[in-house]
Amino acid sequence: MAGLIWAREHDDVAAAQNIIGVSLHALQDFYSHSNWVDAPARRQVTFFNTPLNSRTSLPLYTGAYEQEAHQGVKHHGKYLFEATVMNQPGVKQIMSVVCGAGSPLGNSDMCKAYDAATKGTAVRFDVRGVKIPENVIYQAPTGIALDNLWLAEIGVKERGLTDMTGKVAFETARALAFETSKQWLLTLEANMTKDGPESAAFWQKVKTQGTDQPTRQQQFENYAKFPYTFLSAGKYPPETLSAEEYFLRVRLKTARDSGAGTDADIYLRPN
C-alpha cells in the first residue's frame, strides 16, 4: 500500500502495476514453495480463508533456497546449469583431477561447483511434447517446488507425499494461487477505495491502462522504483539528512567478458 500510494502521488501507473505484480508473485509462489498443500485439510482453502488464530499455530515452512536446509526444513531445489558441462565425458575426468584431494584449486568456486555437479540430479522434461535430452538440466539439491508439471513430480517425492501425484499437487497449488490472487486484488481495491477518491480513481487507471515496454522496463531498471525499497529505504532521496536517515544504495557494473573475474559473489562492507 505504501508503494501504491507513492505511485498514485506520482501518477505512475507502471510503477503501481509492477508493485502489484511483485506482490502477486510472492503470494502465488507460497503454495508451490511451502508445505501448505501437504496437509489434505488445507488443499481446498487459501491462506486468507484460514482464521488468523489457526494460521499462527500451523507448522508452515517454505523451501530454503540461498541457504542450506536446516532444522528439518526442506530445500526449494536449485538449477545447476554448469553441471551440464561438468558431467560430460572427458570434462568430468579432467575436473576430477583438477579438483582432487590436495589440489590447490580444491577450495575454488569452480571446484565447489564441480562438487555440487557430481551430487546433482539430472532432470528431464517436455517442451511442447519434445523430450529434453538427458544430462542437460540438473538440480542440486532437489527440492519441494511445484512450479510446473515436471518439477512437481520431484517435489511430491521430496515432500514425502504418497496420496497425490505431481500433476495433482501442481494443479492444487495453481488453483490456490489463482484464488488467492483474486482475494489479494480485491483487498487492494478495497483499501485504495477506502483511502479516498483520488486513490480510487488511480486504481481504476491501474486496472485499465496499459504501458509500453520501455516504461515497464524502467520499473526494474530504475533502482529508486524497486518495490521493496518503499518499505526498506523510505523516500529517496531524503528531504533532510540526519544521523538516523542515512542509507546506502550501491549500483554495480560488472564485465560480461569471460574470465573478467566479476562473476563471483560480491560482498559490500561500507566503512
Side-chain angles (χ1 to χ4, degrees), residues 43-69:
R43 293 172 186 170
Q44 303 299 321
V45 60
T46 69
F47 183 86
F48 290 144
N49 283 343
T50 304
L52 180 61
N53 60 340
S54 298
R55 295 201 304 251
T56 56
S57 62
L58 292 173
L60 292 176
Y61 65 85
T62 56
Y65 190 75
E66 293 297 337
Q67 290 77 33
E68 293 299 320

Short mmCIF file of all heavy atoms in Angstrom, two decimals, residues 43-69:
data_model
loop_
_atom_site.label_atom_id
_atom_site.label_comp_id
_atom_site.label_asym_id
_atom_site.label_seq_id
_atom_site.Cartn_x
_atom_site.Cartn_y
_atom_site.Cartn_z
N ARG A 43 -5.91 -28.18 1.31
CA ARG A 43 -5.83 -28.18 -0.15
C ARG A 43 -7.01 -27.49 -0.84
O ARG A 43 -6.94 -27.21 -2.04
CB ARG A 43 -5.70 -29.62 -0.67
CG ARG A 43 -4.38 -30.25 -0.27
CD ARG A 43 -4.31 -31.72 -0.59
NE ARG A 43 -3.06 -32.31 -0.06
CZ ARG A 43 -2.81 -33.61 -0.02
NH1 ARG A 43 -3.73 -34.47 -0.46
NH2 ARG A 43 -1.68 -34.06 0.48
N GLN A 44 -8.06 -27.23 -0.11
CA GLN A 44 -9.22 -26.55 -0.70
C GLN A 44 -9.46 -25.18 -0.08
O GLN A 44 -10.49 -24.56 -0.35
CB GLN A 44 -10.47 -27.43 -0.51
CG GLN A 44 -10.36 -28.82 -1.10
CD GLN A 44 -10.14 -28.80 -2.59
OE1 GLN A 44 -10.72 -27.98 -3.31
NE2 GLN A 44 -9.30 -29.70 -3.09
N VAL A 45 -8.52 -24.71 0.73
CA VAL A 45 -8.72 -23.43 1.42
C VAL A 45 -7.46 -22.59 1.28
O VAL A 45 -6.34 -23.10 1.40
CB VAL A 45 -9.08 -23.66 2.90
CG1 VAL A 45 -7.97 -24.42 3.63
CG2 VAL A 45 -9.38 -22.35 3.61
N THR A 46 -7.63 -21.30 1.03
CA THR A 46 -6.49 -20.41 0.88
C THR A 46 -5.99 -19.94 2.25
O THR A 46 -6.68 -20.08 3.27
CB THR A 46 -6.83 -19.17 0.04
OG1 THR A 46 -7.74 -18.34 0.78
CG2 THR A 46 -7.45 -19.57 -1.29
N PHE A 47 -4.82 -19.35 2.24
CA PHE A 47 -4.25 -18.77 3.46
C PHE A 47 -5.18 -17.70 4.02
O PHE A 47 -5.41 -17.63 5.23
CB PHE A 47 -2.88 -18.16 3.14
CG PHE A 47 -2.14 -17.61 4.32
CD1 PHE A 47 -1.34 -18.42 5.12
CD2 PHE A 47 -2.23 -16.26 4.63
CE1 PHE A 47 -0.66 -17.90 6.21
CE2 PHE A 47 -1.54 -15.73 5.71
CZ PHE A 47 -0.76 -16.57 6.51
N PHE A 48 -5.74 -16.86 3.14
CA PHE A 48 -6.61 -15.78 3.59
C PHE A 48 -7.91 -16.29 4.19
O PHE A 48 -8.52 -15.62 5.03
CB PHE A 48 -6.93 -14.83 2.43
CG PHE A 48 -5.76 -14.01 1.97
CD1 PHE A 48 -5.59 -13.70 0.63
CD2 PHE A 48 -4.82 -13.53 2.88
CE1 PHE A 48 -4.52 -12.94 0.20
CE2 PHE A 48 -3.75 -12.76 2.47
CZ PHE A 48 -3.60 -12.47 1.12
N ASN A 49 -8.37 -17.45 3.76
CA ASN A 49 -9.61 -18.01 4.26
C ASN A 49 -9.43 -18.83 5.53
O ASN A 49 -10.39 -19.38 6.06
CB ASN A 49 -10.28 -18.89 3.19
CG ASN A 49 -10.97 -18.05 2.13
OD1 ASN A 49 -11.23 -16.88 2.32
ND2 ASN A 49 -11.24 -18.67 0.99
N THR A 50 -8.20 -18.92 5.99
CA THR A 50 -7.91 -19.64 7.23
C THR A 50 -7.89 -18.65 8.38
O THR A 50 -7.21 -17.62 8.30
CB THR A 50 -6.54 -20.34 7.14
OG1 THR A 50 -6.54 -21.20 5.99
CG2 THR A 50 -6.24 -21.15 8.39
N PRO A 51 -8.64 -18.90 9.45
CA PRO A 51 -8.68 -17.96 10.58
C PRO A 51 -7.28 -17.62 11.09
O PRO A 51 -6.40 -18.48 11.13
CB PRO A 51 -9.50 -18.71 11.64
CG PRO A 51 -10.35 -19.66 10.85
CD PRO A 51 -9.51 -20.07 9.68
N LEU A 52 -7.11 -16.37 11.50
CA LEU A 52 -5.80 -15.90 11.93
C LEU A 52 -5.23 -16.74 13.07
O LEU A 52 -4.05 -17.10 13.06
CB LEU A 52 -5.89 -14.43 12.36
CG LEU A 52 -4.59 -13.79 12.85
CD1 LEU A 52 -3.54 -13.81 11.74
CD2 LEU A 52 -4.85 -12.35 13.31
N ASN A 53 -6.06 -17.07 14.05
CA ASN A 53 -5.55 -17.85 15.18
C ASN A 53 -5.10 -19.24 14.75
O ASN A 53 -4.20 -19.84 15.36
CB ASN A 53 -6.59 -17.94 16.29
CG ASN A 53 -7.89 -18.62 15.83
OD1 ASN A 53 -8.15 -18.68 14.63
ND2 ASN A 53 -8.67 -19.08 16.77
N SER A 54 -5.70 -19.77 13.66
CA SER A 54 -5.27 -21.07 13.14
C SER A 54 -3.98 -20.95 12.35
O SER A 54 -3.10 -21.80 12.44
CB SER A 54 -6.36 -21.66 12.25
OG SER A 54 -7.55 -21.89 12.98
N ARG A 55 -3.84 -19.85 11.60
CA ARG A 55 -2.64 -19.67 10.78
C ARG A 55 -1.39 -19.59 11.63
O ARG A 55 -0.34 -20.15 11.28
CB ARG A 55 -2.76 -18.39 9.93
CG ARG A 55 -3.84 -18.42 8.89
CD ARG A 55 -3.59 -17.41 7.80
NE ARG A 55 -3.44 -16.05 8.27
CZ ARG A 55 -4.34 -15.08 8.09
NH1 ARG A 55 -5.47 -15.35 7.47
NH2 ARG A 55 -4.11 -13.87 8.52
N THR A 56 -1.49 -18.88 12.75
CA THR A 56 -0.29 -18.66 13.58
C THR A 56 0.19 -19.93 14.26
O THR A 56 1.34 -19.98 14.72
CB THR A 56 -0.57 -17.58 14.65
OG1 THR A 56 -1.72 -17.98 15.42
CG2 THR A 56 -0.85 -16.24 14.00
N SER A 57 -0.65 -20.95 14.33
CA SER A 57 -0.24 -22.18 15.01
C SER A 57 0.12 -23.30 14.03
O SER A 57 0.49 -24.40 14.46
CB SER A 57 -1.37 -22.66 15.94
OG SER A 57 -2.55 -22.96 15.20
N LEU A 58 0.02 -23.03 12.73
CA LEU A 58 0.31 -24.06 11.74
C LEU A 58 1.82 -24.27 11.59
O LEU A 58 2.58 -23.30 11.60
CB LEU A 58 -0.28 -23.67 10.37
CG LEU A 58 -1.80 -23.66 10.27
CD1 LEU A 58 -2.22 -23.10 8.91
CD2 LEU A 58 -2.37 -25.06 10.47
N PRO A 59 2.26 -25.51 11.43
CA PRO A 59 3.70 -25.79 11.23
C PRO A 59 4.10 -25.55 9.77
O PRO A 59 4.41 -26.49 9.03
CB PRO A 59 3.81 -27.27 11.61
CG PRO A 59 2.48 -27.84 11.23
CD PRO A 59 1.46 -26.75 11.50
N LEU A 60 4.11 -24.29 9.37
CA LEU A 60 4.39 -23.95 7.98
C LEU A 60 5.86 -23.61 7.77
O LEU A 60 6.51 -23.06 8.65
CB LEU A 60 3.54 -22.75 7.54
CG LEU A 60 2.03 -22.98 7.44
CD1 LEU A 60 1.34 -21.67 7.10
CD2 LEU A 60 1.70 -24.04 6.41
N TYR A 61 6.36 -23.94 6.61
CA TYR A 61 7.70 -23.53 6.22
C TYR A 61 7.75 -23.41 4.70
O TYR A 61 6.92 -23.98 3.99
CB TYR A 61 8.77 -24.52 6.70
CG TYR A 61 8.68 -25.90 6.07
CD1 TYR A 61 9.28 -26.15 4.83
CD2 TYR A 61 8.00 -26.94 6.69
CE1 TYR A 61 9.19 -27.40 4.24
CE2 TYR A 61 7.92 -28.18 6.11
CZ TYR A 61 8.51 -28.42 4.88
OH TYR A 61 8.43 -29.65 4.30
N THR A 62 8.70 -22.64 4.21
CA THR A 62 8.95 -22.60 2.77
C THR A 62 10.33 -23.19 2.50
O THR A 62 11.20 -23.16 3.37
CB THR A 62 8.91 -21.15 2.23
OG1 THR A 62 9.84 -20.35 2.97
CG2 THR A 62 7.53 -20.55 2.38
N GLY A 63 10.52 -23.72 1.31
CA GLY A 63 11.78 -24.37 0.99
C GLY A 63 12.93 -23.39 0.99
O GLY A 63 12.85 -22.30 0.43
N ALA A 64 14.02 -23.77 1.63
CA ALA A 64 15.22 -22.93 1.65
C ALA A 64 15.77 -22.80 0.23
O ALA A 64 15.62 -23.71 -0.58
CB ALA A 64 16.27 -23.55 2.58
N TYR A 65 16.42 -21.68 -0.06
CA TYR A 65 17.00 -21.53 -1.40
C TYR A 65 18.45 -21.08 -1.33
O TYR A 65 19.37 -21.83 -1.58
CB TYR A 65 16.19 -20.55 -2.25
CG TYR A 65 16.63 -20.56 -3.69
CD1 TYR A 65 16.29 -21.63 -4.53
CD2 TYR A 65 17.41 -19.54 -4.21
CE1 TYR A 65 16.72 -21.67 -5.84
CE2 TYR A 65 17.83 -19.57 -5.53
CZ TYR A 65 17.49 -20.63 -6.33
OH TYR A 65 17.92 -20.67 -7.64
N GLU A 66 18.68 -19.82 -0.93
CA GLU A 66 20.06 -19.33 -0.85
C GLU A 66 20.82 -20.03 0.27
O GLU A 66 22.01 -20.25 0.18
CB GLU A 66 20.08 -17.82 -0.64
CG GLU A 66 19.55 -17.03 -1.82
CD GLU A 66 20.39 -17.21 -3.07
OE1 GLU A 66 21.57 -17.58 -2.96
OE2 GLU A 66 19.86 -17.01 -4.18
N GLN A 67 20.10 -20.36 1.37
CA GLN A 67 20.74 -21.05 2.48
C GLN A 67 20.46 -22.55 2.39
O GLN A 67 19.48 -22.98 1.79
CB GLN A 67 20.23 -20.52 3.83
CG GLN A 67 20.69 -19.11 4.15
CD GLN A 67 19.92 -18.05 3.39
OE1 GLN A 67 18.74 -18.24 3.12
NE2 GLN A 67 20.57 -16.97 3.03
N GLU A 68 21.32 -23.32 3.02
CA GLU A 68 21.09 -24.75 3.07
C GLU A 68 19.89 -25.04 3.97
O GLU A 68 19.56 -24.28 4.88
CB GLU A 68 22.33 -25.46 3.62
CG GLU A 68 23.54 -25.37 2.70
CD GLU A 68 23.28 -26.02 1.34
OE1 GLU A 68 22.63 -27.09 1.31
OE2 GLU A 68 23.72 -25.46 0.32
N ALA A 69 19.25 -26.18 3.73
CA ALA A 69 18.14 -26.57 4.58
C ALA A 69 18.65 -26.80 6.00
O ALA A 69 19.76 -27.27 6.20
CB ALA A 69 17.51 -27.85 4.03
#
